[in-house]
Amino acid sequence: MNQKLLKLEKLLRFHTICRQLHSLSQRRLLAWWKHGSAPASPVWADWLCARPWPTDVLTGSALHQHRLLVTKKEKRPPRSQLSPIKTKKEVEVWVGMTVEELARAMAKDTDCVYEALLNTAIDIDSLEANSHLDEVWIKEVIKKAGMKLKWSKLKLERIRENKDAVRRPGADPALLKPRSPVVTIMGHVDHGKTTLLDKLRETQVAAMEVGGITQHIGAFLVSLPSGEKITFLDTPGHAAFSAMRARGAQVTDIVVLVVAADDGVMKQTVESIQHAKDAGVPIILAINKCDKTDADPEKVKKELLAYDVVCEEYGGDVQAVHVSALTGKNLMALAEATIALAEMLELKADPTGPVEGTVIESFTDKGRGPVTTAIIQRGTLKKGSILVAGKSWAKVRLMFDENGKTVNEAYPSMPVGIIGWRDLPSAGDEILEVQSEPRAREVVDWRKSEQKEEKGKDDLKIMEEKRKEHQEAHRKAREKYGSLHWKQRSYIKYLERKEQRPLKPKEKVERDSNVLPIIIKGDVDGSVEAILNLLDTYDASHECELELVHFGLGDISENDVTFAETFDGVIYGFNVDAGSAIQQSAAQKGVKIKLHKIIYHLIEDLQEELSNRLPYKVEEYPIGEASILATFTITEGKKKVPVAGCRVQKGQLERQKKFKLIRNGQVIWKGSLTSLKHHKDDVLVIKTGVDCGLSLDEENVEFKVGDQVICYEENKVPTKTSWDPGF
């Protein structure tokens, strides 16, 4: 810095000297001019007087440039001899990243992202730090930031602490105590499963079932005269309840397979065998209805050999008991066989520590809220326990048995109803006891976030696939239009836009008539599950599209009616009610509410509703038949009209009806008659055995002797849907 000041000082001294020299020269020239003398070179003197030296300007300019150079050298770092080429920063992004993630990837704050998205179509006010951005906005932000974009395949996984609740490790053998067996009764519909269980319990369960068919799993604790206790699960045998049977097999120790002696092995019998094998559960065969005259138990045993169910009589290990649920014959023998097999299995459980169990069924009760039926598998459940099942938790307020009687404790293998759930868990969910309510909320929140994250991953994959499809379609479109003139491109695009015109009102009505929106409401989770599984088999979308708008548990509400009105749909209720106010509201809004107690009646009603949405089918009904005996031509004005001379063989010909001409079994014409005469008189009807002459509304048709003329009428017949749910 001192050297720079010295240079500046010398420059200023030089400037002062220059000014003094300039003044001195000016004074000398002025003195010469006053004394009348001239310098040795007058030309130089004239030039000197006319053009004085611009020393002030030159010196000021030099000083100014010197100051600029000094300032720049102080502020700027020294440059290298080779100036490097500027490169844009590369930012790795992925589809669906949030505002916060994009800012972090750019090493900026979120305000930078918001600023880049100003004056764009996106709503800045609705954007949060965790809001997901579309691909176009990610590109816009990177472009405005002057950075380079690099797509990542998938977002990197974030490692989070697992806060889920899990089952305890295996119990100490010293803590294990004998427990009652859990027995599931399975078999085909109407083979007498519930009646058999009814006899064991000495109650009237079967009389309470609608139509005598079990609609959901029933869990019962049966005490035998010997003092032994058995927990029975009565699963539905109807084809619709496959998921319920599978769930019953997963929580059971023994499967009692009920087969009717007069009916043999049926479809659901085979399915029940497969469920038992998948769960690794032993089978006891109960051949029911042996009191009937046409009963053939041996035939049943032989049929089961084909499915690897070998009875003890044939060298296998499956016990077979011939019973009659109606008369109670051999029911004690069946119970003893069950107890004997349970003793061989040495069933034990740990009654201490936190509770573990499984939700068998769940439903919503008007006065009690969400209710579950559960089987306790470990520990002892008490009032006040904090439970977690699926994405719901409960503080147990009340427990009751299958008869509705309040119980204070539920031990292993005991079925129990639980009240106190915040939300309704799903059937089949695992029940675990936790220490406190905050811990229960933490587990539920963790599970919900896991589910949300899994869904996010699936959505990202779908978005990535859609992006690739879009890029491929764009590439093909460029190839398609690349070689065309711009006028040809414009014309083709105009035609494409014309094809995508909005639907006219009439077309919209026709399209909407081929869509049936439905709302499903059921009494318990398993029943709704069974109905949804049946809807998954729907394969007639080409005829009428079936659209599931909403499903849930509980009675039909005003929200359901509003949903149905919005989508022009139908509400189906299974074992639920709709109050008079709800029905009046639905009637005013033109919404159909259909309530059913038996599942296959509901499906039949749905099939009928689908059929009503289909266009009518036109069928032809013959009225009369005539054969052509001769052909001739008549002249009407300047035209020659071909005429056929016929004789009616069957029925009668009516001029106002439709006709068709058949030759060698092939229909060569369909239409109407222009004339029908008997002799020379025009007539409307020609009966059997009467001759007549007729002419057609098409002159180019040629008659031949031996042709058949059929008179028929067209009737519209309702079309039935081709959907077959399998029962």
Side-chain angles (χ1 to χ4, degrees), residues 28-55:
R28 286 179 180 177
L29 286 173
L30 184 61
W32 291 339
W33 181 73
K34 285 181 178 180
H35 291 89
S37 60
S41 301
V43 177
W44 176 83
D46 293 339
W47 177 82
L48 186 63
C49 294
R51 296 179 181 272
W53 291 0
T55 54

Side-chain angles (χ1 to χ4, degrees), residues 120-138:
T120 60
I122 195 169
D123 185 9
I124 298 294
D125 296 333
S126 65
L127 277 183
E128 300 291 341
N130 57 352
S131 298
H132 293 277
L133 294 173
D134 293 336
E135 179 183 341
V136 63
W137 305 124
I138 295 173

Side-chain angles (χ1 to χ4, degrees), residues 109-161:
D109 56 5
T110 54
D111 291 338
C112 178
V113 178
Y114 292 135
E115 185 180 351
L117 293 174
L118 286 173
N119 301 322
T120 60
I122 195 169
D123 185 9
I124 298 294
D125 296 333
S126 65
L127 277 183
E128 300 291 341
N130 57 352
S131 298
H132 293 277
L133 294 173
D134 293 336
E135 179 183 341
V136 63
W137 305 124
I138 295 173
K139 289 181 177 179
E140 183 73 16
V141 173
I142 299 296
K143 180 181 177 182
K144 288 186 176 180
M147 299 180 181
K148 188 178 179 182
L149 180 141
K150 178 184 177 183
W151 286 104
S152 175
K153 291 184 178 179
L154 281 177
K155 177 182 173 181
L156 295 175
E157 296 287 339
R158 289 185 301 170
I159 300 174
R160 297 190 305 155
E161 182 185 355

Side-chain angles (χ1 to χ4, degrees), residues 327-399:
T327 63
K329 177 185 175 183
N330 278 345
L331 290 187
M332 291 310 300
L334 177 62
E336 290 171 0
T338 304
I339 294 296
L341 182 56
E343 290 176 354
M344 292 176 60
L345 295 174
E346 296 183 352
L347 301 174
K348 294 182 179 181
D350 178 13
T352 62
V355 172
E356 297 175 5
T358 302
V359 177
I360 299 298
E361 201 53 90
S362 60
F363 59 94
T364 301
D365 186 84
K366 279 186 178 179
R368 299 182 293 183
V371 181
T372 61
T373 302
I375 294 288
I376 305 303
Q377 296 168 315
R378 189 175 180 183
T380 302
L381 182 62
K382 299 178 181 179
K383 185 178 178 181
S385 299
I386 308 298
L387 304 179
V388 173
K391 289 175 284 298
S392 178
W393 67 277
K395 183 176 182 180
V396 180
R397 297 200 323 262
L398 184 69
M399 295 183 292

Side-chain angles (χ1 to χ4, degrees), residues 10 332 357 519 601 629:
K10 291 178 181 178
M332 291 310 300
I519 294 172
H601 288 172
L629 304 178

Side-chain angles (χ1 to χ4, degrees), residues 177-182 229 252-253 342 347-349 376-377 412-413:
K177 294 184 179 180
R179 63 174 177 84
S180 303
V182 179
K229 293 183 178 180
T252 194
D253 302 312
L347 301 174
K348 294 182 179 181
I376 305 303
Q377 296 168 315
S413 298

